[in-house]
Amino acid sequence: MMVPFRKMHGLGNDFVVLDARKGSVLDARRAALPITPARAAAIADRRRGIGCDQFIVMEPGTDGADVFMRIRNPDGSESGACGNATRCIASLVAEETGRDRVVVRTIAGDLPVERLPNGEGMDLWRADMGPARLGWRDVPLAREVDTLHLPIGRGPVADPAACSMGNPHATFFVPELDALPLAEIGPALEHDPIFPERANIGFVQVLTPEYIRLMVWERGAGLTLACGSGACAALVNAARRGLTGRRATVSLPGGDLVIEWREDGPGAGHVLMTGPVATAFTGEIDLGAYPA
């Protein structure tokens, strides 16, 4: 009944990681102990479980992918993208294989990740998060509107831009980030009727064209210390509004990510995210102790 897990994080955006690849303990017991949405939510609970922003299961990779990463939010719902988790999972596979380039597959597509030694004792990892999707159906939205100016708001914020990074994002631009009642307005905006699949809600303060601050109310998770796909969406939407260039440092409560939205050449339109990863601790968990 006991299976190993890792607690990892990217800038404080934390994950419980289980390995269900061929030959793993979880693979051998998968039929008896399936990872259902309810079980994932119970383990993600910070008081009754291990606690995490996302629950990750590594599954076998196929057709050119080194690993399949299944992502669940703390409420058990499945997500198509998580930038910080992508870097974490790639680092595990790179450690196993000795390779500096890993392809992580998600339900939203394949994400190539590279190791970038930085000479300071901690490798950085650059993930190609794929192209930003800008159409209203891509986000998706409930009706046809201009994704550069959504007709929604709550309290002191209004007029966000939206895009998809494999999951839906809306970005509000504000003059003073610290003055916002994020815990009050975040849930209402996440569940606004314009988002049929709910949305991740970003709040951005542009300090310079190369440096922005960001806080994210994550769909199904609430406020987090960092959100990789949210940082990608923030840079894309800021660049679309003419507030930044196509490369900037995005400062989150847990630390900084460097985001680049490629304009031309190979990978034009793709968004690259560079940042660190870390393992907080490892252990074993009795999956049977959690409701299925």
Side-chain angles (χ1 to χ4, degrees):
M1 300 291 283
M2 304 298 293
V3 298
F5 73 90
R6 286 176 181 259
K7 182 70 175 291
M8 303 188 74
H9 71 90
L11 303 178
N13 184 198
D14 62 338
F15 319 106
V16 171
V17 180
L18 270 61
D19 189 352
R21 293 173 296 171
K22 186 175 181 180
S24 69
V25 173
L26 184 55
D27 174 54
R29 301 177 181 178
R30 199 171 179 185
L33 296 171
I35 303 299
T36 63
R39 181 164 280 148
I43 294 170
D45 187 286
R46 294 191 182 277
R47 290 180 174 82
R48 296 181 174 88
I50 300 170
C52 60
D53 290 325
Q54 273 81 33
F55 181 90
I56 308 296
V57 178
M58 300 170 67
E59 299 178 7
T62 58
D63 301 324
D66 295 291
V67 64
F68 183 91
M69 178 177 68
R70 193 169 301 280
I71 312 162
R72 291 198 180 276
N73 295 314
D75 62 2
S77 61
E78 193 162 7
S79 178
C82 180
N84 288 312
T86 299
R87 299 198 316 277
C88 288
I89 296 306
S91 73
L92 294 179
V93 176
E95 182 180 350
E96 294 172 352
T97 62
R99 299 200 308 270
D100 290 331
R101 187 178 186 278
V102 172
V103 177
V104 178
R105 178 165 293 165
T106 72
I107 61 173
D110 288 356
L111 306 175
V113 186
E114 296 179 85
R115 185 202 313 262
L116 301 177
N118 69 356
E120 298 179 3
M122 177 183 293
D123 292 335
L124 295 176
W125 298 84
R126 182 172 64 194
D128 182 341
M129 298 296 291
R133 299 172 178 87
L134 309 179
W136 71 272
R137 290 186 178 89
D138 299 322
V139 176
L141 302 178
R143 63 185 186 276
E144 183 176 1
V145 297
D146 180 5
T147 61
L148 197 54
H149 296 280
L150 299 192
I152 65 169
R154 183 73 55 163
V157 301
D159 186 34
C163 69
S164 171
M165 289 304 311
N167 51 0
H169 288 271
T171 308
F172 291 85
F173 298 94
V174 301
E176 180 53 60
L177 191 59
D178 295 330
L180 297 179
L182 300 184
E184 297 176 17
I185 62 179
L189 292 167
E190 174 192 349
H191 292 271
D192 190 282
I194 202 169
F195 303 118
E197 298 178 7
R198 298 181 292 158
N200 300 281
I201 309 298
F203 304 91
V204 167
Q205 180 180 354
V206 178
L207 300 178
T208 75
E210 296 80 31
Y211 190 82
I212 66 178
R213 291 184 62 206
L214 169 68
M215 293 188 70
V216 178
W217 180 273
E218 280 200 45
R219 177 180 61 169
L223 288 172
T224 58
L225 291 177
C227 177
S229 62
C232 294
L235 184 279
V236 167
N237 287 329
R240 293 171 69 202
R241 289 274 183 97
L243 301 173
T244 67
R246 296 176 72 102
R247 178 185 172 92
T249 296
V250 180
S251 181
L252 298 124
D256 294 349
L257 294 170
V258 176
I259 309 297
E260 177 184 358
W261 186 20
R262 284 191 168 167
E263 187 169 11
D264 48 32
H270 284 221
V271 184
L272 306 182
M273 172 193 57
T274 302
V277 305
T279 295
F281 57 88
T282 62
E284 289 189 327
I285 184 171
D286 183 358
L287 292 185
Y290 293 87

